[in-house]
Amino acid sequence: MFPRIIFCGSVILATLAVILLALFSPVAHRRQSKTQTPPWLALSLYIQQPSTLSSYNQQVVGSEGGAFIFHRTLTEGPKNTSRVIGRAQGFIIPIEHFAHSAFNVIYLTFNTATYSGSLSVEARHIAHEDRQELTVVGGTGDFAFARGLAVFAQAEKHSSDVDSTIYHIKLQLKFPNRSQTIPG
């Protein structure tokens, strides 16, 4: 009789242990977090000519067209006295043959206490419009593995100089689940 009591008690304890592990397991919580949407980040910035002129803004013209290489500043506001938070650099070939090229990328580099890193914005579908919707294809630092949308709009255009045009950029960024990253 005593061995039967021990056997039944151990079967009940083993069944109870399996049920409790299934209810309170960290693996079950990870599955639930996968169904949630990843966090979004919205940023509103301005791209404008640096206050000190340099030779970095140039247009290189070839036999069939040209390429536009630029180095601009990222600021919090549209005024030239706004706080600089980073740089915008790019290489764009506006020729129809290269319009869908992977080389047409704009790099946004951030260097602030809040954000440190860079974003890559793919400029494959550039049209000569006042508003462009481009794709964010990745990033580094605080923006690692970011995906999303970048909306470029012309904020101000000075009639005297094409290079002094100010662009407003709105970023909608989505990040993968960062709780599953492998430590160091």
Side-chain angles (χ1 to χ4, degrees):
M1 179 77 181
F2 187 67
R4 285 184 183 171
I5 294 174
I6 292 175
F7 176 74
C8 289
S10 61
V11 168
I12 291 172
L13 286 176
T15 306
L16 185 64
V18 169
I19 291 171
L20 288 175
L21 282 174
L23 290 175
F24 299 109
S25 172
V27 175
H29 295 294
R30 259 192 227 141
R31 285 187 194 139
Q32 290 174 357
S33 68
K34 284 183 181 179
T35 60
Q36 298 172 352
T37 59
W40 284 86
L41 174 67
L43 295 172
S44 180
L45 311 165
Y46 292 86
I47 298 176
Q48 52 185 292
Q49 182 73 26
S51 58
T52 57
L53 293 176
S54 65
S55 63
Y56 290 115
N57 299 324
Q58 56 185 336
Q59 183 162 354
V60 179
V61 179
S63 61
E64 292 185 15
F68 186 63
I69 303 165
F70 64 93
H71 297 268
R72 303 281 175 101
T73 57
L74 279 176
T75 60
E76 286 182 334
K79 305 249 186 237
N80 60 359
T81 57
S82 297
R83 185 172 78 113
V84 175
I85 57 171
R87 295 176 308 195
Q89 300 174 324
F91 179 82
I92 305 233
I93 305 172
I95 302 171
E96 189 173 327
H97 301 329
F98 293 102
H100 303 289
S101 171
F103 292 113
N104 291 338
V105 176
I106 299 168
Y107 299 100
L108 305 174
T109 307
F110 297 83
N111 190 14
T112 65
T114 309
Y115 299 112
S116 177
S118 66
L119 285 170
S120 299
V121 179
E122 189 177 53
R124 283 191 178 188
H125 305 288
I126 296 256
H128 299 290
E129 298 174 0
D130 288 342
R131 184 177 183 274
Q132 303 287 327
E133 288 189 8
L134 306 176
T135 306
V136 176
V137 293
T140 64
D142 290 333
F143 302 103
F145 306 108
R147 297 283 188 262
L149 184 66
V151 179
F152 282 81
Q154 208 168 16
E156 283 184 36
K157 183 173 182 173
H158 300 282
S159 59
S160 61
D161 190 7
V162 174
D163 285 339
S164 63
T165 302
I166 297 172
Y167 294 95
H168 184 210
I169 178 171
K170 292 181 183 178
L171 297 168
Q172 289 288 327
L173 304 174
K174 181 173 71 170
F175 297 95
N177 188 357
R178 294 183 185 213
S179 65
Q180 297 177 3
T181 57
I182 299 171

